[in-house]
Amino acid sequence: MNIVLVDDHAVVRQGYASLLRAVLPAMEVREAASGEEALVRVQEQVPNLVIMDFGLPGISGLETTRRLRQRLPQLRVLFFSMHDELPLVRQALEAGASGYLTKNSAPQVLIEAVQRVLAGHAYIEQPLATQLACTPQQNASDPRLQRMTQRELEIFVMLAKGTPVRVIAEQLCISAKTVSNHLTLLKSKLQVSSHAELVHLGIDLGVVRVAG
């Protein structure tokens, strides 16, 4: 049995790969740093599971999952991401993922998720599962969200959460100028004129949670 672990941050990827190899010694763990590389790894040898990051340089984790599942409908994909926003979780599940958990999870939660998905079960991190069950889905089909590309939606969520452009660029491995270009296009597409209006729209659409 083998797993392909897809994450563009080498230290993070290698750390989790080492964890999986230590806890699941019978499992071969292969690594990919991008969606394009993941497609190659899967073509070389079809894995039992792909552990997929959401934000990747080039092809996003969502688009990579869609392409993999079109080619291999039975392939199991577990999203393992820094994002916990429900619209993104729902998009991952709609793309065919068997599970979703965040990188805030304890190592034993990742191991449990891997084992359950390998066994043919779905696995959604408990706080996310509760939110999905308790939150109406009407905003998921909002035409403003549907018009966005996967990358635009990801940047929209990060901007709405107040993440600085420089940090977004670092996390997505793109230039700050590219992020700024996306921001300009998003304002036009969403018909907002300021960053503050974009944040309020994020709250209205449910991509940003308000504490309290």
Side-chain angles (χ1 to χ4, degrees):
M1 297 181 76
N2 75 93
I3 292 172
V4 174
L5 176 60
V6 189
D7 195 299
D8 60 312
H9 293 92
V11 173
V12 174
R13 185 181 69 249
Q14 291 167 10
Y16 285 116
S18 297
L19 169 67
L20 291 167
R21 291 180 183 120
V23 178
L24 304 171
M27 187 72 62
E28 177 188 1
V29 181
R30 295 180 293 148
E31 301 175 35
S34 66
E36 291 87 345
E37 189 176 351
L39 295 174
V40 172
R41 292 283 176 270
V42 171
Q43 186 172 4
E44 291 172 344
Q45 180 184 3
V46 178
N48 301 93
L49 173 66
V50 176
I51 301 175
M52 184 72 69
D53 194 7
F54 202 106
L56 297 171
I59 306 174
S60 70
L62 272 175
E63 180 58 27
T64 303
T65 298
R66 289 194 178 100
R67 294 187 189 187
L68 289 173
R69 292 273 300 173
Q70 284 175 355
R71 187 186 308 169
L72 301 164
Q74 302 307 312
L75 182 65
R76 298 184 181 100
V77 178
L78 171 65
F79 268 82
F80 187 45
S81 170
M82 66 179 181
H83 292 294
D84 62 355
E85 294 79 19
L86 296 189
L88 300 186
V89 177
R90 288 194 173 105
Q91 281 208 356
L93 298 177
E94 289 170 2
S98 299
Y100 197 108
L101 70 159
T102 68
K103 291 180 179 178
N104 291 326
S105 304
Q108 60 266 29
V109 175
L110 173 61
I111 298 301
E112 179 185 357
V114 167
Q115 291 173 329
R116 286 187 60 81
V117 173
L118 282 171
H121 304 291
Y123 188 97
I124 301 175
E125 182 181 343
Q126 187 57 53
L128 292 178
T130 300
Q131 291 176 48
L132 286 170
C134 297
T135 304
Q137 296 193 41
Q138 65 266 21
N139 286 337
S141 59
D142 188 288
R144 289 169 292 187
L145 293 179
Q146 295 297 320
R147 285 195 296 266
M148 293 186 201
T149 65
Q150 287 85 27
R151 180 48 56 90
E152 286 174 342
L153 179 58
E154 188 173 15
I155 291 175
F156 170 56
V157 169
M158 298 175 81
L159 288 168
K161 291 171 67 176
T163 308
V165 168
R166 175 185 56 79
V167 175
I168 295 174
E170 291 174 356
Q171 292 183 349
L172 299 183
C173 297
I174 57 179
S175 70
K177 185 177 186 300
T178 299
V179 177
S180 296
N181 289 341
H182 276 296
L183 175 56
T184 299
L185 289 172
L186 282 168
K187 285 180 179 178
S188 175
K189 187 174 286 191
L190 298 172
Q191 298 183 320
V192 298
S193 59
S194 68
H195 201 144
E197 288 183 27
L198 187 144
V199 172
H200 286 303
L201 181 60
I203 294 171
D204 290 341
L205 294 178
V207 303
V208 178
R209 292 192 299 275
V210 180

